[in-house]
Amino acid sequence: QNSERERLLIREVVEGSRGARLITDSADNTVYYNERLAKLCVTEDGEEPSLSGLSALFLENVDIYNLFQKLSDQARMGLTESMTLQSGEGSKERWYHVTAQPVSGWAGHVHWRFDDITAQREIDRSVRQEREKLIDFTDNAPVGFFSVNEDGRFIFVNATLARWLGNDIDSLLSKGTLHSYLEKPPLDAAPYDVAEQGGARQVVELKMKGPGGRTFLASINQAVVRESEGEVR
């Protein structure tokens, strides 16, 4: 009676999972699958969902198919591994986070989990595209943009400011510091400050060093932000 209750409990947990689940034995035969897996798997009429049916999701791309086979091989060797794999192309493109986990105490048995992450990939792609548009905008804007860390080292500089400072962006990001480009760095201030005694909001006019040591007058509007870990931006 207890074993039957345990089976029912496990079934409820697996069926309630947001991921498609499959358990296979040492010969890759299907031992158990949930309803999400049945909907995901490629099968012929009346055919039981299987590992080969899952691998068919990736047949359109040989490289991705080989990665899936590698995942299967590693699981048989007792290694737990996860991969993000693409299925289909164009309007049929789907992305899955696939995990293959050997079942402890059951030689050759593997627990497979497929999570459809297509929606999140689309969100990430949109965010990345918007970020790229923002970078393009700031690079070509007639205003200098920069960000520094708590040591005053540049972690972002747009092309306009780099041109005014007479240096390339890569050099500024690798070794440039804010105060080294100020004619008179503020007194009693942190390396990231442009105003004396600092502050969360700093608005100043000061001279910055340009190409060949020439100076130019700059108006700087700077906000100092502390992130959750206390790190300064």
Side-chain angles (χ1 to χ4, degrees):
Q1 187 175 4
N2 286 338
S3 60
E4 180 61 25
R5 285 193 64 194
E6 289 172 355
R7 280 196 294 270
L8 290 173
L9 176 61
I10 292 171
R11 179 181 175 82
E12 286 298 318
V13 170
V14 176
E15 288 296 340
S17 169
R18 289 181 294 178
R21 304 291 190 96
L22 171 71
I23 298 174
T24 56
D25 63 16
S26 57
D28 289 341
N29 296 314
T30 299
V31 175
Y32 182 83
Y33 60 89
N34 67 357
E35 188 62 30
R36 289 181 183 273
L37 190 284
K39 292 178 180 179
L40 173 65
C41 201
V42 179
T43 59
E44 299 292 339
D45 288 342
E47 187 180 42
E48 186 178 48
S50 64
L51 187 60
S52 61
L54 288 173
S55 66
L57 293 170
F58 311 109
L59 282 174
E60 293 182 15
N61 188 308
V62 175
D63 291 336
I64 295 176
Y65 179 80
N66 289 337
L67 284 174
F68 182 77
Q69 294 303 317
K70 180 181 178 182
L71 194 64
S72 181
D73 293 340
Q74 288 178 319
R76 289 194 194 94
M77 292 187 293
L79 302 174
T80 298
E81 187 64 75
S82 296
M83 291 184 182
T84 298
L85 303 175
Q86 176 192 354
S87 170
E89 296 179 351
S91 61
K92 295 182 179 179
E93 179 185 277
R94 308 296 298 178
W95 287 87
Y96 299 99
H97 185 71
V98 184
T99 299
Q101 181 181 21
V103 180
S104 178
W106 293 76
H109 286 60
V110 179
H111 173 206
W112 292 85
R113 173 166 178 159
F114 280 65
D115 289 289
D116 189 330
I117 58 171
T118 307
Q120 185 59 50
R121 293 279 301 195
E122 288 298 320
I123 293 172
D124 293 343
R125 181 183 297 171
S126 296
V127 170
R128 185 168 60 252
Q129 290 173 344
E130 289 303 314
R131 185 180 294 119
E132 289 170 354
K133 289 178 183 177
L134 178 60
I135 291 173
D136 287 341
F137 167 76
T138 58
D139 265 349
N140 297 301
V143 178
F145 289 97
F146 72 89
S147 181
V148 295
N149 63 16
E150 58 190 1
D151 299 318
R153 297 184 66 88
F154 289 111
I155 56 176
F156 173 77
V157 179
N158 74 335
T160 301
L161 182 60
R163 186 171 65 252
W164 290 348
L165 298 180
N167 217 328
D168 62 89
I169 293 176
D170 289 340
S171 295
L172 289 170
L173 296 180
S174 64
K175 56 186 178 182
T177 59
L178 177 60
H179 282 189
S180 66
Y181 286 94
L182 303 183
E183 184 183 47
K184 295 180 180 179
L187 302 174
D188 190 23
Y192 51 81
D193 287 327
V194 292
E196 291 188 7
Q197 299 181 355
R201 185 67 180 270
Q202 303 176 26
V203 181
V204 298
E205 287 189 358
L206 45 70
K207 287 187 176 181
M208 299 191 74
K209 298 175 185 177
R214 296 190 300 273
T215 60
F216 62 93
L217 185 63
S219 174
I220 300 180
N221 188 326
Q222 175 172 287
V224 179
V225 179
R226 289 193 179 275
E227 298 186 339
S228 57
E229 297 83 7
E231 187 178 0
V232 170
R233 288 278 186 257

